[in-house]
Amino acid sequence: MEIRTDSYDHRHVATLDDHDDVHHEMRAKCPVAHSENHGGFWTLTRHEDVDLATRDTTRFSSLPTVTLPAVGAPKPFIPVECDPPEHQKYRTLLNMVFRPRRIEEFEGRIREHVVHLVDTFAANGRADLAKDFVFPLTARVITWFLGIPDEDVARFSEWSLGLVTVGDPEEELRLQTEIRDYYLGLIARRRERPADDLASHLLASTIDGRPVTEEETLDIYLTLTGAGGETTAATGNHLFRLLDLHRDLRERLLAEPELIPSAIEEILRYVTPVYGFRRTTTCEVEVAGTRIPQGEAVWLSWLSANHDESEFPEPGRIIPDRKPNRHLAFGAGVHRCPGAPLARLQLRVMLEEILTRLPDYQLADPDAVSIVPAVTRVITSLPIVFTAPPRSNR
Ligand code: HEM
């Protein structure tokens, strides 16, 4: 295949099931490629180069943005669009929130809600697994995490599903403004009357000896809303789609459920839902013999890195017990995803329940499922049919 890297578009490639035809060729012949799209940018494709650049915050900055094209937010997202040393201050705050004990405590609630959601459609023998199951679950978990009161959950779920599925920029702006205003109200109420939740915890914390401001709290809420829900939902939807396309894999997980955690890691590698992020060079850098000038946009293709045959033998096969599996689906270095344990927990519980209760589900129309490029490789709808199971008595 003749490769035309000057017209390479990471967003288009992310919609393809056979994306690796493009990336394989780039890794072999042009591992550091320049494209004219999106105002001009470079792409790193080999695992070794992408891994090093992801960790190198001195030469590859997360400012002014990590999105390409930029999502157009009025200011950088905290902490993902901060560099050290400022990044460390916010990250220390967040690490407290993601303490392993706090995450483990979610398992019971997640399981209960997963069972409840399956109950709502199980008797029908058909459902939209994305709209009836994966999106509602991941949105609900974020509401617990952010301390959204029960009476506001329905509104919040509509916003988050709206933000993932909306096609119209004006509508998107409207939804974002509504969420922002809602958070501002919540944060103001917690300032007045603290509760045992995230906003109160942040407002009671300090950075450099001064209290965290309401504006910083809002920024963290906005980051967590985007970073936590859409990513986990995208992974869940791909997971259930792939278990339809790869029946042997489903059979193996049904026979050996102890493989579920490592299978989830492998699906994360194979899919790479957050398929890359942008960095900007702070000086001239040389990568694999190519010079990239200062101030250039560089796309770190975690999707390509996760299919690099020099790191992952047979990268196009889903091997549930692959070892080692140094995938970059959660990034690497100081920005490595703090939400990974929470995402893994949701994915494991969803998968366990679906395998137990709907073991024979099938996609109603596999050809109708498509991947939409946002910050993640989104699947918005996943209609399935299955043999209706007995109602759960848990
Ligand atoms: C399968 C689901 C998820 C995937 C694939 C994912 C992926 C990523 C990746 C690749 C990064 C690194 C960004 C960078 O290097 O610039 C990241 C950062 C981040 N993620 Fe996740 N994420 C997931 C779930 C979550 C969840 C559930 C939360 C929170 C509830 C979360 C919160 C964050 C935050 C706050 C950051 C920024 C960390 C920093 O800059 O220090 N993520 N995520």
Side-chain angles (χ1 to χ4, degrees):
M1 179 177 53
E2 177 68 19
I3 46 167
R4 292 284 314 276
T5 57
D6 54 351
S7 58
Y8 170 79
D9 189 340
H10 55 297
R11 286 172 64 88
H12 170 67
V13 175
T15 64
L16 307 173
D17 273 323
D18 56 359
H19 55 82
D20 208 39
D21 290 353
V22 178
H23 286 148
H24 172 80
E25 196 74 5
M26 286 168 76
R27 286 191 301 271
K29 296 188 181 156
C30 186
V32 180
H34 189 266
S35 165
E36 298 298 331
N37 280 316
H38 307 298
F41 69 101
W42 300 81
T43 299
L44 309 190
T45 51
R46 288 184 181 163
H47 186 277
E48 187 186 352
D49 299 334
V50 176
D51 186 44
L52 280 175
T54 305
R55 293 168 193 276
D56 183 352
T57 53
T58 308
R59 297 189 307 157
F60 294 90
S61 169
S62 294
L63 288 164
T65 175
V66 294
T67 50
L68 182 74
V71 293
K75 55 194 172 83
F77 284 103
I78 292 177
V80 69
E81 291 174 336
C82 301
D83 286 333
E86 203 198 4
H87 169 265
Q88 182 58 38
K89 299 174 194 165
Y90 292 118
R91 184 63 192 241
T92 306
L93 264 187
L94 272 184
N95 286 346
M96 308 263 298
V97 178
F98 285 99
R99 286 188 317 273
R101 178 81 63 79
R102 182 165 189 256
I103 301 305
E104 281 161 21
E105 282 169 8
F106 280 107
E107 176 154 358
R109 272 200 275 177
I110 292 177
R111 174 93 50 196
E112 208 177 290
H113 199 58
V114 160
V115 170
H116 160 73
L117 288 169
V118 176
D119 279 344
T120 61
F121 57 72
N124 305 341
R126 57 175 55 243
D128 186 323
L129 213 47
K131 290 184 178 152
D132 300 334
F133 183 61
V134 176
F135 286 124
L137 188 268
T138 52
R140 190 71 181 101
V141 173
I142 289 293
T143 64
W144 292 328
F145 199 74
L146 298 182
I148 309 274
D150 285 350
E151 60 271 23
D152 297 334
V153 165
R155 214 163 22 133
F156 180 88
S157 301
E158 270 173 37
W159 284 329
S160 35
L161 181 59
L163 275 178
V164 180
T165 49
V166 75
D168 167 27
E170 259 179 44
E171 175 66 0
E172 188 173 344
L173 190 67
R174 192 187 63 77
L175 288 170
Q176 275 169 354
T177 312
E178 275 188 28
I179 293 196
R180 200 186 156 80
D181 290 347
Y182 173 77
Y183 284 158
L184 280 173
L186 179 75
I187 292 165
R189 290 201 298 280
R190 294 300 180 259
R191 165 74 83 203
E192 244 169 44
R193 199 178 302 168
D196 180 18
D197 65 6
L198 179 65
S200 310
H201 161 80
L202 291 171
L203 291 167
S205 306
T206 54
I207 290 182
D208 288 342
R210 59 151 180 91
V212 172
T213 64
E214 289 181 19
E215 204 179 337
E216 286 166 333
T217 304
L218 170 68
D219 288 349
I220 291 174
Y221 263 63
L222 291 172
T223 298
L224 290 173
T225 312
E230 178 184 331
T231 49
T232 313
T235 316
N237 289 329
H238 279 276
L239 168 68
F240 292 120
R241 176 180 181 228
L242 288 170
L243 287 181
D244 182 70
L245 301 178
H246 300 265
R247 292 300 171 88
D248 51 331
L249 177 62
R250 192 189 316 184
E251 291 308 319
R252 185 138 184 232
L253 295 183
L254 281 165
E256 298 172 73
E258 64 281 7
L259 286 182
I260 286 178
S262 61
I264 287 172
E265 292 309 305
E266 175 67 344
I267 296 283
L268 279 157
R269 175 196 72 79
Y270 183 85
V271 174
T272 317
V274 180
Y275 48 101
F277 265 174
R278 170 194 162 146
R279 297 292 193 260
T280 302
T281 48
T282 58
C283 55
E284 184 184 273
V285 294
E286 191 176 317
V287 183
T290 300
R291 274 167 200 257
I292 306 178
Q294 179 186 356
E296 295 279 296
V298 179
W299 182 253
L300 306 178
S301 179
W302 292 318
L303 181 59
S304 173
N306 280 346
H307 284 256
D308 185 340
E309 36 292 281
S310 66
E311 175 68 28
F312 304 102
E314 298 188 81
R317 268 188 64 210
I318 302 174
I319 303 173
D321 47 2
R322 185 184 285 278
K323 235 181 177 168
N325 191 348
R326 290 195 326 128
H327 70 72
L328 297 173
F330 288 119
V334 299
H335 289 286
R336 190 180 152 74
C337 179
L342 182 59
R344 289 183 175 120
L345 173 60
Q346 293 173 72
L347 293 164
R348 175 171 64 74
V349 176
M350 283 194 285
L351 180 52
E352 285 169 356
E353 286 297 321
I354 292 294
L355 287 179
T356 306
R357 299 193 55 205
L358 315 180
D360 69 351
Y361 81 86
Q362 305 177 30
L363 292 181
D365 181 1
D367 295 334
V369 179
S370 60
I371 304 173
V372 184
V375 171
T376 57
R377 308 177 66 207
V378 174
I379 292 175
T380 54
S381 175
L382 209 57
I384 56 161
V385 289
F386 51 85
T387 308
R391 197 176 161 78
S392 160
N393 52 12
R394 277 179 287 173

